[in-house]
Amino acid sequence: MPLTRRTFSSLAGTAALGLALTGSGGATRAYAAHAAPTGPPPGPPGADGERHTIGFDRHSLLVDGKRLVVWSGEMHPFRLPSPSLWRDVLQKMRAHGYNAVSVYVAWNYHSPAPGHHDFTGVRDLDLFLRMAAETGLYVILRPGPYINAEVDGGGFPGWLTVTEGTARTAHPTYLRHVDAWLTAVNRIAARHQYTDGSGTILLYQIENEYDAHVTEPTGRAYMSHLYRKVRRDGIDVPLFHNDKGRNGYWTPGTFDTGGEKGRWLYGFDGYPSPAHLPPDWGHFGSGGLKGGATASPWTPGFVPEFGGGWFDPWGGVWFKGKGYAESRRTRDAAYERRFYLTNLANGITLHNVYMTFGGTSWGWLPAPVVYTSYDYGAAFDEARNPTAKLVPMHQLGHLLQYVPDFARLDRAADVEAAGLTVYHLTNPDTGAHVHILRNDTDATVTSSVPAAGTDLRVTVPARDARLLATGLALGRRTLRHSTAQPMLALTVGRQDIAVLTGRTGEATRTVLECSGRPTVTVLEGRASSTYGDGELRVDAELDGLTRVMVTGGGADVPLLLLLADDDTSLRLWPRRTSSGPVLVYGPALLRTASPGGAAVRLTGDTVRAADVEVWAPRGIRDVTWNGRAVETRATASGSLRAVRRLPGVGRVTLPALRGGWRRRVENPESAPGFDDSRWPRADRKSSFSTTPVPAGQPVLFADDYGFHYGDVWYRGRFTDARGAQSVSLAYSTGTQGLLMAWLDGKPLGTHRMPVPDNSTIRQGSWTAEAVFAVPTKLRTAGAHVLSVLVRRMQHDQDGKALDTHKVARGLTAVSFKGASPRVGWRIQGTAAPDSLRGPLNNGGLYGERKGWHLPGHPDRGWEAVALPRADRRQGVTWYRTSFGLTVPAGVDASIGLDLDDDPARAYRVQIFLNGWNMGQYVNDVGPQHTFVLPNGILRTRGTNTLALAVLADGTTASGPGDVRLTLLGAVAGGVPVSPVV
């Protein structure tokens, strides 16, 4: 049984035992504590062609023998189907302090059929990994094979539902498909590993939150198989798994790794509620296998997923119908400070925020538990805009990259402060101390904290936290203590620069050790200083950027002390370059900084007119911004400052969508004379589904006939309906599925699954029996046709490894009351997978099969109409229009589509932009009304085709109602965007 961290510490004392990977050969060696002292972290990663080592001890990862704190954010390329915009999000992440990006690779997204794996176009994993390396971000790769992730089937492809054997076990059929998938992924991943300098993949995850069969041979054999398969495929970075909670599952030594040791990390996921106290999952916790990091005492604290928000279900009951704005409000910047700083106190040095950019579960990608938007209340919203939640991420991310003391912190003597929870840690190498102060009450607390030989008066707002550091090196000087939080310390040119932060209006005191009286100059802001007893005291009120220059006093290099309030800290951009550190202040975003010769070339974004100021390596005299020269002047701060402000973004105008619409009704499949002779017969007798085949019935499950996504049609032919009083249609769908039926072309009615409540939010499969009366005039002898449309929604996930993704979708049984006709069934879904947009784009509506959603489809013969509409019929009606956009060059405008109508109207809309299925709107359920239209799919300087497939039950008037474009955000800058074709 694995030792707890406390047991280990008692045996090993203060020695830190670690095992480091040498590169690709698999050999290991032990590192004593002195082998990896606190020091500068490794530089920004890239595909540099050099060999690198990745190891670890109990404190942190060791990259080339240097300690690395991983501050990672989760994003999913498959939730942003415009590869150009991947670079935008990656650059924003790096600029705001992240040094790694964690990515799932979704099997269903890449595999339309067994043995077929598509990594082209929007599925180009190789391109994404190159972009991450070019951006300077490590990659944590998570290819499953199961990923959960609130995607259809938990990432399992639809075709896997009709294969034998239980998934997520050692069943040979399942493993054969898994091996084919991993071979395809690893063929790409092996070309992008940091160990050989070909890319920046740092860590690799196998499986996902696997808490089934943990003690059973099939579970251990399964994990062992995955481990060995990945190694055989040439993946030589450390591997890990993310325990679903604090269970101590899959710690090192719990399954066979083929004799390989020291290359497996234990990680655990955590999504604590904002209503609860931040948990202690490490140094200050209960210890043992259930204690989080303590389950694996020889490996660093690792949280592969920590809540950066939360998803929202159909109907929005979790967030009271307010959607992701409420998710973001309840898990705001104060939440992040309380919970993320608690993690840091508990020794978590590998920290991944899920999600950092949520994106869009477009097409038929979302799992039943979520609707189209996967905004998640994340730090970057679905439209790629920064939010107020970025403040602590930005400050902590840069702190952990630029102040090395935080890579190795041990618990120190307990400290008390009235009204606060206090965590006290120290770095054994540098002697620096860290105090994390947490206020768990609903009132602001001011208290005295014993630190650095004095009592610091500190104020912590309600439900918030702050970090204090003492004995910290700020270049050539030492910070005795400060009530402001350190953000970074770096040397630029001929001076040291330190940035400390706090809330706006906060009064701070910063004390520096000085062996002699220094010269202090307040260059900007409200600050004063005093000197005595070897200490320089700087008092400042945080309002914008306060600048204090300190020279002399025992140090031969000046220190520029920058005290920034939260909003201002978001406009300070440090960047390591090959010529040395660069610090930029002013613009809304710094994307790149490239010194060369006498110039530094900057790229980035502005929203409003902004100053730009640059602290650059010696010899830099010139500055360019987005390719244009910037006239600058030297300042007393040692910087180059633009003489004129950078321009902000201009006005972006959007066209109205009231006119130009054309309309056409469909569902000819409901008519008795419709030709279905080419449809497959639904006459199978057995299925691998977990749904039993009803006695005396054929298999009607859509997946068994190759129709895995979207709507599916059934047509049943029979003779003699005499005596038939009603027909019962049993069906199974994901959340918010529905069924419509017609007999001989006459509507019988619609049945809908209920809107989930608090007790059924997580229910992924829903079954019901829809009973419709057979009209008297149709109870005749002769031929009859029963037509049924099922909006099947998505497959359930398989979180418990019970094959729940194999639960049937579509009709399951049909019977009549008063009669027993023999029914011959045919079935039709998607005509063929869209080779450009992938299998998850289309379902089986007639208009989809005929290309009505595609740009260029001839619609001149359609009826010309205007919106809003008030149609009333059971079935599907299509609306098409085109619109042009003229967003100025050099402007990144994020545009959405808003749909609004009387909530009593029962209808739903599939939204197609230039042929891409951008999501599903359910008017009377919600809560989503705004759908993001990603640039690249959206032609921001060109013509676009919008098609809306409206599915209505006929019980109420149906729209569309108000349909309009909306500007979700705009900046001057952005990245070049290529059309997605």
Side-chain angles (χ1 to χ4, degrees):
M1 178 176 291
L3 295 172
T4 69
R5 188 182 297 273
R6 289 178 178 177
T7 303
F8 170 77
S9 297
S10 67
L11 292 174
T14 59
L17 176 64
L19 296 171
L21 172 63
T22 61
S24 60
T28 61
R29 67 176 184 269
Y31 281 107
H34 67 272
T38 299
D48 58 11
E50 302 292 330
R51 300 198 65 80
H52 300 278
T53 62
I54 307 171
F56 51 84
D57 64 10
R58 67 186 181 94
H59 287 104
S60 70
L61 285 188
L62 302 171
V63 174
D64 296 330
K66 298 179 179 180
R67 294 199 176 277
L68 175 71
V69 178
V70 175
W71 193 245
S72 171
E74 186 88 12
M75 74 162 291
H76 300 151
F78 54 82
R79 284 190 162 110
L80 184 56
S82 177
S84 298
L85 299 183
W86 298 344
R87 188 182 301 276
D88 174 69
V89 175
L90 292 171
Q91 287 182 345
K92 287 173 177 173
M93 287 176 62
R94 185 184 177 193
H96 282 288
Y98 297 88
N99 61 1
V101 58
S102 173
V103 291
Y104 277 133
V105 189
W107 190 358
N108 58 359
Y109 192 65
H110 294 275
S111 183
H116 293 197
H117 304 99
D118 183 1
F119 289 94
T120 64
V122 298
R123 294 167 290 280
D124 193 341
L125 177 62
D126 188 87
L127 175 62
F128 179 86
L129 295 173
R130 293 201 308 272
M131 284 184 179
E134 291 162 1
T135 308
L137 290 171
Y138 293 107
V139 174
I140 301 172
L141 195 68
R142 310 204 291 160
Y146 180 77
I147 64 171
N148 204 71
E150 288 75 60
V151 296
D152 181 279
F156 282 156
W159 55 260
L160 195 69
T161 63
V162 295
T163 60
E164 66 175 334
T166 303
R168 308 184 76 188
T169 70
H171 190 281
T173 299
Y174 170 69
L175 291 184
R176 185 174 70 251
H177 293 304
V178 165
D179 284 355
W181 163 242
L182 291 178
T183 295
V185 174
N186 292 339
R187 185 179 295 118
I188 298 170
R191 301 197 299 264
H192 294 274
Q193 299 185 90
Y194 194 56
T195 44
D196 63 10
S198 60
T200 57
I201 293 177
L202 181 76
L203 302 171
Y204 182 112
Q205 178 180 307
I206 62 173
E207 248 291 341
N208 187 81
E209 294 186 336
Y210 187 53
D211 61 354
H213 314 297
V214 175
T215 61
E216 301 169 24
T218 190
R220 293 195 298 271
Y222 174 46
M223 291 293 283
S224 179
H225 177 92
L226 295 177
Y227 190 103
R228 295 178 186 220
K229 166 62 179 170
V230 169
R231 287 297 188 223
R232 286 197 305 270
D233 286 347
I235 304 302
D236 66 359
V237 301
L239 308 183
F240 72 96
H241 178 73
N242 58 331
D243 189 358
K244 186 180 182 179
R246 279 67 51 210
N247 304 299
Y249 295 158
W250 312 116
T251 55
T254 53
F255 68 100
D256 183 10
T257 58
E260 188 174 81
K261 297 180 179 179
R263 304 176 73 187
W264 175 256
L265 289 164
Y266 171 72
F268 60 93
D269 292 350
Y271 291 89
S273 166
H276 298 157
L277 292 178
D280 290 322
W281 290 336
H283 291 326
F284 292 83
S286 58
L289 291 177
K290 301 290 185 179
T294 59
S296 182
W298 292 290
T299 61
F302 185 8
V303 183
E305 295 181 26
F306 195 86
W310 193 245
F311 60 83
D312 198 27
W314 284 107
V317 66
W318 263 336
F319 297 115
K320 302 178 182 179
K322 299 177 182 178
Y324 284 113
E326 184 69 2
S327 175
R328 187 170 285 110
R329 186 192 69 80
T330 56
R331 291 167 173 82
D332 60 2
Y335 168 91
E336 292 181 322
R337 281 189 288 267
R338 289 176 70 219
F339 284 77
Y340 299 174
L341 286 175
T342 299
N343 282 351
L344 183 62
N346 276 276
I348 308 299
T349 59
L350 288 87
H351 192 281
N352 180 55
V353 179
Y354 188 108
M355 298 292 295
T356 289
F357 169 75
T360 305
S361 297
W362 58 282
W364 295 104
L365 186 65
V369 293
V370 292
Y371 47 87
T372 298
S373 176
Y374 200 67
D375 176 281
Y376 215 80
F380 296 100
D381 69 19
E382 187 181 0
R384 300 177 287 113
N385 296 310
T387 72
K389 290 180 62 164
L390 272 172
V391 169
M393 302 306 299
H394 183 92
Q395 294 171 354
L396 290 173
H398 290 308
L399 173 71
L400 298 175
Q401 290 189 56
Y402 286 92
V403 181
D405 304 68
F406 290 87
R408 188 182 181 196
L409 291 176
D410 292 324
R411 183 172 179 174
D414 290 344
V415 170
E416 294 185 358
L420 300 174
T421 299
V422 182
Y423 298 91
H424 180 204
L425 302 109
T426 186
N427 184 298
D429 297 329
T430 67
H433 286 254
V434 173
H435 295 80
I436 290 169
L437 315 176
R438 202 179 71 217
N439 180 0
D440 296 321
T441 74
D442 293 322
T444 297
V445 171
T446 298
S447 188
S448 293
V449 180
T454 188
D455 288 335
L456 299 180
R457 292 290 289 175
V458 179
T459 297
V460 184
R463 300 283 173 182
D464 210 328
R466 65 186 314 137
L467 179 152
L468 302 182
T470 66
L472 204 65
L474 302 181
R476 279 77 164 178
R477 289 173 173 81
T478 299
L479 176 70
R480 176 67 59 86
H481 55 78
S482 179
T483 57
Q485 178 175 302
M487 177 174 136
L488 60 87
L490 69 170
T491 299
V492 183
R494 295 181 173 88
Q495 66 182 356
D496 295 329
I497 302 176
V499 177
L500 293 94
T501 66
R503 312 294 86 78
T504 302
E506 182 179 348
T508 65
R509 170 166 288 182
T510 301
V511 178
L512 300 173
E513 295 180 3
C514 293
S515 59
R517 181 179 295 275
T519 299
V520 180
T521 306
V522 178
L523 301 173
E524 184 179 350
R526 299 173 61 183
S528 61
S529 66
T530 58
Y531 176 77
D533 300 325
E535 294 181 348
L536 171 67
R537 293 174 292 279
V538 178
D539 294 312
E541 181 178 321
L542 299 185
D543 183 13
L545 188 64
T546 300
R547 308 169 188 237
V548 179
M549 183 68 76
V550 181
T551 58
D556 57 0
V557 173
L559 170 66
L560 176 63
L561 189 63
L562 300 177
L563 296 156
D565 61 19
D566 284 344
D567 288 344
T568 303
S569 74
L570 285 175
R571 295 189 293 126
L572 283 164
W573 309 104
R575 182 59 59 99
R576 287 194 180 97
T577 75
S578 58
S579 300
V582 171
L583 180 64
V584 176
Y585 170 58
L589 178 71
L590 179 73
R591 293 183 179 275
T592 64
S594 305
V600 58
R601 295 177 296 278
L602 309 177
T603 66
D605 299 349
T606 58
V607 178
R608 292 171 291 277
D611 294 322
V612 64
E613 187 172 358
V614 184
W615 289 267
R618 295 171 62 179
I620 297 295
R621 300 185 301 274
D622 301 316
V623 175
T624 67
W625 176 259
N626 290 342
R628 294 186 177 182
V630 175
E631 184 182 356
T632 62
R633 60 178 176 82
T635 74
S637 297
S639 63
L640 296 173
R641 185 168 184 169
V643 173
R644 287 173 291 277
R645 307 187 85 191
L646 302 174
V649 65
R651 184 180 179 186
V652 176
T653 58
L654 302 177
L657 299 179
R658 294 188 182 90
W661 290 92
R662 293 186 177 274
R663 171 182 178 272
R664 183 175 179 181
V665 299
E666 59 136 277
N667 49 277
E669 301 93 337
S670 64
F674 179 79
D675 182 7
D676 60 17
S677 60
R678 295 186 179 181
W679 289 17
R681 295 183 183 274
D683 55 5
R684 297 187 179 186
K685 302 301 182 183
S686 63
S687 173
F688 289 120
S689 171
T690 55
T691 301
V693 179
Q697 297 269 349
V699 175
L700 296 174
F701 314 155
D703 285 297
D704 285 77
Y705 299 96
F707 304 123
H708 304 303
Y709 306 111
D711 299 294
V712 62
W713 274 98
Y714 297 85
R715 283 173 56 86
R717 297 181 182 274
F718 62 96
T719 57
D720 198 352
R722 289 175 296 178
Q725 301 171 38
S726 64
V727 58
S728 297
L729 304 171
Y731 73 115
S732 176
T733 73
T735 307
Q736 282 302 286
L738 62 74
L739 173 150
M740 294 179 173
W742 294 259
L743 182 58
D744 299 336
K746 306 299 182 182
L748 298 181
T750 297
H751 186 280
R752 298 173 56 172
M753 298 298 182
V755 179
D757 57 22
N758 273 319
S759 65
T760 57
I761 282 174
R762 291 185 177 276
Q763 181 177 325
S765 291
W766 300 69
T767 60
E769 188 171 5
V771 180
F772 301 114
V774 174
T776 302
K777 63 181 180 180
L778 298 181
R779 301 175 188 176
T780 63
H784 296 276
V785 178
L786 177 61
S787 301
V788 181
L789 173 64
V790 180
R791 175 144 291 180
R792 42 172 294 149
M793 302 302 280
Q794 290 85 6
H795 302 92
D796 196 0
Q797 299 175 107
D798 191 28
K800 292 295 182 182
L802 298 173
D803 266 359
T804 46
H805 63 295
K806 291 184 178 180
V807 173
R809 291 295 183 261
L811 284 178
T812 56
V814 180
S815 61
F816 291 81
K817 181 179 180 180
S820 301
R822 291 179 59 86
V823 183
W825 289 99
R826 289 184 184 269
I827 185 173
Q828 181 63 55
T830 307
D834 186 315
S835 59
L836 171 65
R837 299 169 182 89
L840 292 155
N841 193 71
N842 294 112
L845 295 180
Y846 181 85
E848 290 178 287
R849 305 197 308 268
K850 296 299 182 180
W852 292 6
H853 61 298
L854 296 173
H857 179 79
D859 59 10
R860 290 191 176 183
W862 293 23
E863 175 190 6
V865 297
L867 300 186
R869 296 290 299 177
D871 291 345
R872 194 182 186 110
R873 66 183 292 269
Q874 176 179 294
V876 184
T877 306
W878 285 74
Y879 297 84
R880 283 172 57 95
T881 191
S882 61
F883 61 91
L885 293 174
T886 56
V887 176
V891 171
D892 177 6
S894 186
I895 296 170
L897 185 75
D898 279 355
L899 293 91
D900 285 298
D901 206 343
D902 180 349
R905 291 186 172 188
Y907 69 93
R908 54 187 68 187
V909 181
Q910 286 294 120
I911 301 165
F912 292 93
L913 175 69
N914 296 325
W916 294 81
N917 182 346
M918 297 317 304
Q920 181 174 190
Y921 168 73
V922 183
N923 182 67
D924 57 338
V925 175
Q928 184 174 6
H929 289 268
T930 300
F931 294 78
V932 175
L933 308 176
N935 298 343
I937 289 177
L938 180 70
R939 309 295 191 250
T940 58
R941 287 179 289 280
T943 301
N944 298 274
T945 300
L946 179 64
L948 306 178
V950 178
L951 179 63
D953 63 14
T955 62
T956 68
S958 66
D962 184 11
V963 179
R964 62 190 182 276
L965 298 173
T966 183
L967 184 64
L968 302 175
V971 299
V975 296
V977 177
S978 299
V980 179
V981 294

